[in-house]
């Protein structure tokens, strides 16, 4: 199988990136600042949605998400009442 034969059959029109979070306050700002340029590049080609799932964090993760300057309308924050595991958070 060659790379050429692996070309997608249909053009990707949109992408939803789901990020589960649990007590990530120590690295959350850095993660968000690192992912933004990559999402911006993707947005030049397709519609990109970012869904951040706060999986019952007991630290300041939710507050960081609330106060972050998104500059985007395709960003959502979902807060779960407790830690349901990463598997549940991404479903």
């Amino acid at each position: 199988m060659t790379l050429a034969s692996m070309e997608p059959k249909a053009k990707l029109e949109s992408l939803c990136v789901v990020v589960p979070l649990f007590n990530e306050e120590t690295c959350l700002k850095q993660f968000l600042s690192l992912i933004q340029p990559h999402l911006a590049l993707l947005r030049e080609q397709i519609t990109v949605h970012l869904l951040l799932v706060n999986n019952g964090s007991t630290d300041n993760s939710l507050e960081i998400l609330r106060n972050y300057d998104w500059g985007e309308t395709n960003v959502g924050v979902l807060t779960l009442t407790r830690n349901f595991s990463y598997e549940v958070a991404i479903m």
Side-chain angles (χ1 to χ4, degrees), residues 4-16:
S5 66
M6 295 173 52
E7 290 183 24
K9 303 292 186 227
K11 184 180 181 219
L12 183 66
E13 294 180 15
S14 66
L15 174 70
C16 183

Side-chain angles (χ1 to χ4, degrees), residues 25-66:
E25 73 176 328
T26 59
C27 61
L28 187 53
K29 288 181 184 177
Q30 181 180 9
F31 168 75
L32 295 173
S33 65
L34 289 172
I35 197 173
Q36 290 291 18
H38 300 286
L39 295 176
L41 284 174
L42 283 170
R43 285 187 176 110
E44 292 176 6
Q45 305 292 319
I46 60 174
T47 302
V48 178
H49 303 275
L50 176 62
L51 177 60
L52 299 141
V53 181
N54 179 34
N55 198 8
S57 295
T58 56
D59 65 357
N60 289 318
S61 295
L62 181 58
E63 204 58 35
I64 292 169
L65 294 175
R66 286 182 178 156

